[in-house]
Amino acid sequence: MSVDTSSAEKLNSQNVDTAELIVELYSEEIPWRMQEPMAQSLAMLLATELARALGLPKLDNHRLDNVEGAFGKQQLYSTPRRVAVAFDSVPKESKAWQETLKGPRVASPQVAVDGFLRKNKLGSTKECFKIEDRKGDYYAINIDHRSVATNGILGEVVSKVVMQMQKELKVSMRFADQSFRWVRPLRHILVVFAGAGVEGSINLGGELDQQEKLDFTNRTRGATLGSAEPFLVASIKDYEKKLRDNYVEPIYEQRLEIIKKDVESVNDNQNIIIEENACLTEYPCVLTGHFYEEFLSLPLGLIEAVLNHHQKIIYNVDYSTARCDFYFVANISQTTDKNKAIRGVERVVRARLADAKFMLERDKRIPIAEHIKKLEEITFHPKLGSIADKNSRVKKLIPIIISELEKHNDNFSISKDCNQAWFAKEVDQQKMGLATETVREFPKLQEIISEGLKPRNIFDVFIIPSINITELADAVDSLITLWFVGERASGSSDPFALRRYATTIINNLIKPRAVGKIDNGNNNESCVKESSGYYLPLSIIFDEILNITIDQGIHLNTNTNDVSRYYLAPEPIPFITTRIYQWMRYNYEDVRVDCIEAILIKPLNIEDCNILKMIERIKTLSGEMDKNNNLAEIYNRLQAILSSDLEEGEPFLLDAESYQEGKLVDHIEAKDLPNEKLFEKPEEKALFAFAKDIIMEGKAWDELSYQKKLESLANLKSLLDAFFDKVMVNVEDKKIRHNRVILLYRIFRRFGELANFSKIHHKDLKQQSRQQKASA
Amino acid sequence: MILTLQKYWAQQGCVILQPYDMEVGAGTFHWATALKALTPANATEQDKKWRAAYVQACRRPADGRYGENPNRLQHYFQFQVLLKPSPKDSQELYLESLKEIGIKVEEHDIRFVEDDWESPTLGAKGLGWEVWCNGMEVSQFTYFQQVGGFPCKPVSTELTYGLERLAMYLQEKESIFELQYNDNMKYGEIYTEMEKSYGRFNFELANVDKIREQFSESEKQCIEICDKAKTKSDALPAYDYCLKASHLFNLLDARGAVQQNARPDYILRVRQLAHACCAVWLGEQRREAKR
């Protein structure tokens, strides 16, 4: 985190006399996630304010790397009780400098100009000069600043920074009768510059007593529980050494290292617990304990929940030796006898695991039917009833999904054993964990506990492993019913996990499957993936679930409670397509992103959100675009000429979007066909002859595959080039011109049927970079 | 242990009170904390600097396990301390009290783990920590920011010790019921039967319809007292009925008689009562809640 950059070197090269600055804000225990951000914000604000006060070039205070190096080497410190920053070369005084202050625009109302004059104690605008920028002339003045001693301004700078940080704190509290707010009570502010304390204070406010102040100090404290007396700080080295002597490792990364050194072979998903522990201790000391098989019969997820989430303990289960080692990061000094603490921790771990085991065993003794009965009392959503209500919807939806899947997919079949009764049981048992005491205590374990409680029987294996119909139906119910009671996902907020439900639907309907590696000619190996899956007409399914929900007497946010097909259900489909976009990017790295957009954004004529077909089309289009750029070039050329003004002032809107909306401005109607007799030039005759299937309506075009359609459009390239070379569209004779426009338009409209070509980049950037790589 | 804590906190200037004679879910509900944490504009000097400590028996019907679970009780004890205004050395005072009961902070891992406390029924919240001793939560440490929807000015320090947990720790026992109450009696010998009977009452016998009626009656009574209140201390009898309603709601909840979607409504009704009582205590207008 410490970087030397040029401005410090510049300071040194100018022989500016510099000194070390340390600022520490010492408080009671800061929540762990806030420690580092607070240290960063302290560094950013301090550097910015200091630069401003010393007349140095302006810093951008929103990014830490922009302030790094501004005052030499910079070191951040954060522990549970302190956030601090040290700069190793802050100028001892500022040079005399001139500031240009920009005032109002010359054209501004007189009030604004007067205000500027008054504020700067100026008699008239004659004392200002004018500067010009993009928007016009401004008044401006130069202000001369005399050289100031840093020591003299630091107190004010630090106090301004603390007040600014106070405003930016997301969580803060008042203390006693102070009006000052901090994350937890602020105990002292250490400011040391050039080896000595700096005078200054912040106002804590107060109502009952008199106004209280917190004076700056040059002393700090060691660990809460080890060192009694505060000690003096003279330099950065001194600060770090004395803290370490007093059981504080002030640098977060160092504490992380201390813990990692002592914790061996732990899976990556426990990193967050290690990080949290590094923020809970000022001087971490790793204690190790273990337990044997007594608790290893518990589901691993439960052990993880108890140790990781509740106890913040790092663990390592070895089933081969039936032993679990765990690491407890303690806040005790290295020198004291650790036995009491270790024994204490082991006792607590045993008690917590015993508690979990007790709960789970009790849950297991309760008959499954009782758990399921309890689902009636657990709310799924206030407007959508209980989990039992949800399950009854899902049970009705499952046979519909199965019949649709059977209707549209020859390769779909399902075992006879998976009958309606079997599914009904499956649906209930999937959710029964919610009714248990264990899940009430550990809410994230619903699936693990439900699974653990299920009785095993021979039908438990799905005949088609690639599709979990219960899960699919449940996700459809969740997504659609939540959507139609008004729940939405936006930005980082998705309280009802709608995105997860949409992804579950996609994952169940389509599976990418790697079928081998190929060399695409540029030494660039890529994984070829086939997608296999099932077509499920989603809008039918969505309508069905809405009808089932309405039959339950649930009121949905719809204009009518009489849901008719194609009326409501398509609403959430764009939401699903954005998920497909993410899914494609994740699963098919080689597919061009612009092609994904061209198919997904404004899905065109793809029957019932056929995910399988969409994905096939994306891949085909991307493959076609990888071959050559013909399609993009033809599209752009046609679009340019058709959008240009045929008659002055009359826009000719013919992009895919207006085509879709049936908005054909100007003279052309969708049914207009070119008149062969009006063609004059051989190039237009040739084009018409060759592209007849494209231009005219009919089976010849309709029965082509998607790929063939793309190919036949791409094949027009040379003919169109010749056409544009030799044939003038915008001719005097209106009839001829009109006929030529119709000819081009008839070709152009086919692009709109195949994809949203406006999303296609003219040049494939990826291909370009690949070529560059190859030639290099 | 209780005697030691009482002695220690008495030395810190706390009045040592007795448990409140109402069913409450936590020591915080005692008027000596809930109401006293709020300071009326015309408060006396004593009111402005209130320090109290007491044991409180707590009832949480839904937490009972018929005396079977060695870690769970529906009836247990808390030691509660309120220091107003929050002293600068709150943490040091607390750590000192641990030393007094035999936990030397140098020998154990003591840590303050962020826990922003909130009581939705009391309309109270504060910032603070759970205090862990070797990984076990032994106390709740809170800087009270708000009670009954009114801001605490000044802010108080509230400390809650879980007495059974602390005792289990000190006596190195793995079951509450194995705690040595005195030289010849165990905790279980005194309380197991009670846990069984209350378990049966809380989960099986409590008459749901009657309790619903009683809830509504308590609610009415509380509001009636608040409406007719003449002095700030008229909040006390009203607050009794707020506590009754709160406990009755907990009973209904344990009995499984509160439909999930009715829960927020019940909580809001209790919070409204707490708010009404606090408004009387402070001499302020009460606001109607948005439903």
Side-chain angles (χ1 to χ4, degrees), chain B residues 56-70:
Chain B
Q56 182 63 52
C58 306
R59 296 191 188 207
R60 292 190 186 174
D63 286 356
R65 298 292 180 269
Y66 299 87
E68 290 168 18
N69 186 324

Side-chain angles (χ1 to χ4, degrees), chain A residues 98-365:
Chain A
Q98 196 179 53
E99 181 186 14
T100 302
L101 191 67
K102 216 162 139 187
R105 269 207 270 172
V106 173
S108 304
Q110 195 54 36
V111 198
V113 179
D114 288 346
F116 177 71
L117 295 176
R118 211 171 7 200
K119 196 176 162 200
N120 293 290
K121 297 182 183 122
L122 303 171
S124 76
T125 50
K126 282 176 191 158
E127 293 171 57
C128 304
F129 58 93
K130 289 176 191 170
I131 46 176
E132 197 190 324
D133 77 358
R134 222 159 22 92
K135 289 182 188 166
D137 281 355
Y138 284 84
Y139 288 118
I141 49 169
N142 281 333
I143 301 172
D144 290 313
H145 293 271
R146 267 180 290 173
S147 163
V148 290
T150 304
N151 211 18
I153 52 126
L154 256 177
E156 207 177 304
V157 165
V158 172
S159 125
K160 204 167 166 189
V161 166
V162 173
M163 289 304 170
Q164 185 60 35
M165 279 178 79
Q166 180 193 213
K167 273 189 220 154
E168 289 174 7
L169 284 174
K170 286 201 178 108
V171 178
S172 66
M173 55 164 274
R174 288 177 295 115
F175 176 77
D177 43 18
Q178 301 167 357
S179 52
F180 180 76
R181 301 182 74 97
W182 202 245
V183 56
R184 292 293 184 274
L186 184 61
R187 294 281 192 93
H188 75 233
I189 297 173
L190 169 136
V191 188
V192 172
F193 181 62
V198 171
E199 288 208 4
S201 64
I202 57 158
N203 193 352
L204 301 173
E207 283 164 32
L208 291 186
D209 300 319
Q210 281 162 356
Q211 296 275 307
E212 222 180 317
K213 276 185 169 178
L214 185 65
D215 289 325
F216 297 167
T217 171
N218 57 350
R219 288 167 191 272
T220 187
R221 283 173 182 276
T224 337
L225 312 165
S227 67
E229 289 307 309
F231 48 82
L232 272 174
V233 174
S235 67
I236 296 175
K237 214 170 148 192
D238 188 42
Y239 177 70
E240 292 183 3
K241 180 175 185 306
K242 283 182 179 161
L243 281 176
R244 286 179 185 131
D245 288 346
N246 285 283
Y247 306 111
V248 175
E249 170 48 62
I251 301 172
Y252 163 73
E253 288 83 2
Q254 298 284 340
R255 291 199 304 280
L256 209 54
E257 281 313 303
I258 296 176
I259 300 174
K260 282 186 176 162
K261 204 175 71 209
D262 285 346
V263 174
E264 285 158 17
S265 58
V266 166
N267 55 2
D268 284 347
N269 52 18
Q270 293 190 81
N271 276 343
I272 187 89
I273 301 294
I274 296 180
E275 285 164 19
E276 183 174 355
N277 271 295
C279 293
L280 286 171
T281 46
E282 290 211 293
Y283 205 100
C285 165
V286 178
L287 305 179
T288 39
H290 65 267
F291 58 82
Y292 289 100
E293 61 266 55
E294 187 187 358
F295 298 115
L296 287 181
S297 60
L298 292 173
L300 192 60
L302 191 55
I303 294 178
E304 181 186 294
V306 170
L307 295 181
N308 264 196
H309 306 149
H310 282 209
Q311 295 301 129
K312 308 190 192 305
I313 282 175
I314 305 146
Y315 70 94
N316 200 356
V317 178
D318 183 351
Y319 284 104
S320 64
T321 55
R323 175 187 163 110
C324 177
D325 290 308
F326 59 82
Y327 308 93
F328 181 79
V329 184
N331 210 12
I332 56 175
S333 66
Q334 303 283 350
T335 50
T336 47
D337 174 21
K338 299 173 193 94
N339 282 327
K340 280 195 182 168
I342 296 170
R343 266 193 295 137
V345 173
E346 283 193 319
R347 221 162 53 228
V348 172
V349 166
R350 264 201 312 279
R352 293 282 84 82
L353 288 169
D355 195 27
K357 194 175 174 188
F358 183 89
M359 273 188 279
L360 189 62
E361 276 168 6
R362 211 181 126 86
D363 285 335
K364 280 183 175 166
R365 283 204 302 273

Side-chain angles (χ1 to χ4, degrees), chain A residues 490-523:
Chain A
S490 69
S492 60
S493 149
D494 185 9
F496 290 90
L498 299 182
R499 291 189 184 118
R500 189 161 55 87
Y501 293 128
T503 309
T504 305
I505 296 173
I506 300 165
N507 277 336
N508 267 300
L509 290 178
I510 188 143
K511 307 273 165 195
R513 189 160 53 96
V515 293
K517 295 201 166 209
I518 56 148
D519 189 331
N520 63 12
N522 295 325
N523 295 328

Side-chain angles (χ1 to χ4, degrees), chain A residues 311 328 340-341 343-349 352, chain B residues 94-95 98 102-105 107-113 130-139 165-166 169-170:
Chain A
Q311 295 301 129
F328 181 79
K340 280 195 182 168
R343 266 193 295 137
V345 173
E346 283 193 319
R347 221 162 53 228
V348 172
V349 166
R352 293 282 84 82
Chain B
Y94 167 74
L95 291 174
L98 287 187
I103 298 178
K104 287 192 190 140
V105 293
E107 290 174 357
H108 300 276
D109 175 70
I110 305 287
R111 64 172 75 181
F112 290 77
V113 182
E130 288 174 355
V131 186
W132 287 19
C133 172
N134 299 335
M136 181 175 65
E137 184 195 345
V138 289
S139 303
R165 280 199 165 188
L166 268 172
Y169 195 79
L170 292 168

